[in-house]
Amino acid sequence: MKYVVVVGDGMADYPLKVLKDKTPLEVASTPNMDFIASKGKGGKLVTIPNGMPRGSDVANLSLLGYNPEEYYTGRGPLEAASAGVPLGRGEVAFRCNFITEHEGKIEDFTAGHISSQEGKQLIELLNTSRLTTHGKFYTGMSYRNLFVCSCGADVKAVPPHDITGERIDRNLIKDGEDAELLNKIMLDSKNILEKSEVNRKRVAAGHNPANMIWLWGQGKKPELPDFKEVYGLRGAVISAVDLIKGLGIYTGLKAISVPGATGYYDTNYRNKADYALKIIEEVDYCYIHIEAPDEAGHEGNLEMKMKAIEAIDKEIIGRILDNLENFRIAVVTDHPTPIEIKTHTADAVPFAVYGPGSNRDEMKAFSEKDADKGRYTKRKGWELTNILIDKIR
């Protein structure tokens, strides 16, 4: 038996007036998701425990089958693992966003989705500029990068996507003895980045500049049990996002790189499906993560969110249903990223499982509303794996 999980990051939403009080999942053309829901079983999962960060790191750790309250240490170390950056004892990894600062506010938490090549040049500039002697910057993908140091594990830092449009001075790092030091690094970065050749060219071309960094998501190296030891399955993860790859590395799953996977609207959906079909010949379990719906939610871009959902349905789920035999498949979203809110919420999310032994329930379509008819009522997110492999019925 083969097992596949397809995660549309941020797909869930709230009813919108422009959609006649329906959600994007209800209106988008998703015949394959609806087939899974109508022929299988499902319901809703609580992927983010009370009081924990409403992020994809917590939610995907949960969906992989691990209780975040027991294993979560922060987002930074997960991305460090994907980037091949080892963390020593006492070292702390921060997620380091390039952002666009304008008139004291965060105008764009992605710096116009700066290219990875531009980001690499700016990271090299930061490391050679003597911005700080307390740590080192590492290149990631696009606006998503890293800062590793030996301080700041106990501070409170706000994700920039939660405060877009707000004043920087009201959202700086708080608490902990290293807060002042880390805030100085962020604020001083503007003097270096604004003068860079990369940003001069971006501004001339009409693009948002990456004129400041934002540190958040800090944590030390986690200790996660091997997925195979816990669930008896050899597995792999497919994602363009470093934190998902990092989760795979820490749990002993193969992190598969896919040509054309970008973590944005232009990601190669079909390649993700084809690489999943290829790797599933070698392993028992494949976790496919797609970031695009979440990016659309953060931008408040309803059209692109609908297109991303439909592409996932057609190019990934459809191809798997057509080409895989003797398998069970789950479709799920990690958390909602509502169009009108433009950030994550901790609401329970819809999921559905189809395959041998998945006795049908009352779900007729894959949506937030229909998920309330499923047999599983707000189960814990880390129970998904056991539901998929039929250890929970």
Side-chain angles (χ1 to χ4, degrees):
M1 179 74 70
K2 302 292 185 179
Y3 302 94
V4 178
V5 178
V6 179
V7 183
D9 199 304
M11 282 198 302
D13 213 302
Y14 296 155
L16 296 167
K17 288 184 179 180
V18 70
L19 297 181
K20 297 181 179 179
D21 291 325
K22 293 185 177 181
T23 68
L25 277 173
E26 289 181 282
V27 175
S29 175
T30 55
N32 295 299
M33 294 186 199
D34 294 343
F35 172 84
I36 291 169
S38 64
K39 300 297 182 182
K41 58 185 180 181
K44 284 189 172 178
L45 298 170
V46 177
T47 59
I48 300 175
N50 286 338
M52 295 200 72
R54 298 168 298 170
S56 295
D57 43 5
V58 172
N60 281 276
L61 177 63
S62 185
L63 291 177
L64 276 167
Y66 297 83
N67 182 350
E69 293 178 303
E70 182 175 357
Y71 295 111
Y72 179 75
T73 64
R75 183 176 186 135
L78 302 177
E79 302 198 6
S82 175
V85 178
L87 295 182
R89 178 174 293 183
E91 286 194 314
V92 178
F94 281 79
R95 167 70 173 272
C96 175
N97 272 51
F98 283 124
I99 66 168
T100 301
E101 179 276 345
H102 182 66
E103 295 183 347
K105 298 180 180 179
I106 296 180
E107 183 173 271
D108 181 352
F109 75 89
T110 73
H113 285 275
I114 183 173
S115 72
S116 296
Q117 182 58 40
E118 290 172 310
K120 181 179 180 181
Q121 294 177 53
L122 293 180
I123 289 292
E124 291 174 352
L125 177 61
L126 292 174
N127 279 326
T128 58
S129 67
R130 297 185 180 179
L131 172 62
T132 179
T133 59
H134 294 275
K136 183 177 180 180
F137 297 93
Y138 292 87
T139 302
M141 177 177 284
S142 182
Y143 62 91
R144 312 173 185 100
N145 299 278
L146 290 168
F147 177 63
V148 177
C149 59
S150 297
C151 63
D154 59 344
V155 301
K156 293 182 180 179
V158 184
H161 51 260
D162 283 352
I163 52 173
T164 301
E166 296 186 19
R167 290 195 59 81
I168 285 173
D169 57 7
R170 296 176 184 172
N171 291 283
L172 291 171
I173 292 172
K174 299 176 181 177
D175 300 338
E177 60 183 19
D178 301 310
E180 184 177 351
L181 168 65
L182 295 165
N183 286 329
K184 186 176 188 305
I185 292 172
M186 291 197 298
L187 295 170
D188 287 353
S189 71
K190 188 169 183 289
N191 297 326
I192 296 167
L193 295 174
E194 259 190 343
K195 301 172 185 176
S196 69
E197 182 66 18
V198 167
N199 280 317
R200 281 199 292 268
K201 290 181 178 178
R202 288 186 63 79
V203 171
H207 303 312
N208 283 347
N211 60 2
M212 187 173 165
I213 61 169
W214 193 265
L215 304 177
W216 63 286
Q218 75 281 358
K220 296 182 179 180
K221 180 180 178 180
E223 297 294 336
L224 293 169
D226 190 273
F227 188 86
K228 188 175 186 299
E229 292 179 4
V230 177
Y231 295 105
L233 302 172
R234 298 166 300 142
V237 295
I238 290 177
S239 177
V241 177
D242 282 339
L243 80 88
I244 306 298
K245 294 179 180 178
L247 281 170
I249 291 168
Y250 275 125
T251 56
L253 300 171
K254 292 184 178 181
I256 308 300
S257 295
V258 175
T262 66
Y264 199 49
Y265 306 144
D266 59 348
T267 198
N268 193 319
Y269 296 90
R270 178 166 290 206
N271 268 10
K272 285 194 172 185
D274 290 346
Y275 271 69
L277 290 167
K278 184 176 180 180
I279 194 63
I280 203 71
E281 295 176 2
E282 304 173 19
V283 300
D284 311 302
Y285 169 95
C286 187
Y287 188 92
I288 310 169
H289 170 269
I290 307 95
E291 178 75 1
D294 184 63
E295 295 290 341
H298 284 303
E299 293 178 7
N301 192 329
L302 176 59
E303 178 184 2
M304 292 310 298
K305 186 165 190 176
M306 300 268 286
K307 286 183 176 180
I309 290 170
E310 292 176 349
I312 292 169
D313 186 84
K314 179 180 178 180
E315 300 292 348
I316 296 180
I317 298 174
R319 289 180 69 75
I320 290 170
L321 290 176
D322 289 343
N323 292 281
L324 198 58
E325 297 179 356
N326 192 29
F327 69 101
R328 288 198 189 118
I329 184 170
V331 58
V332 65
T333 181
D334 52 352
H335 53 69
T337 309
I339 290 292
E340 291 187 341
I341 297 177
K342 298 184 182 181
T343 193
H344 305 164
T345 72
D347 299 83
V349 296
F351 82 101
V353 173
Y354 166 75
S358 56
N359 297 327
R360 296 170 61 177
D361 55 25
E362 298 304 312
M363 286 182 70
K364 302 299 181 185
F366 187 80
S367 70
E368 300 84 356
K369 183 184 294 185
D370 251 70
D372 288 329
K373 304 174 185 176
R375 72 175 65 179
Y376 301 102
T377 305
K378 293 188 178 181
R379 299 296 293 260
K380 295 175 181 178
W382 55 93
E383 294 181 307
L384 174 64
T385 305
N386 278 327
I387 293 172
L388 177 66
I389 64 180
D390 222 21
K391 284 190 176 181
I392 295 178
R393 297 192 175 186

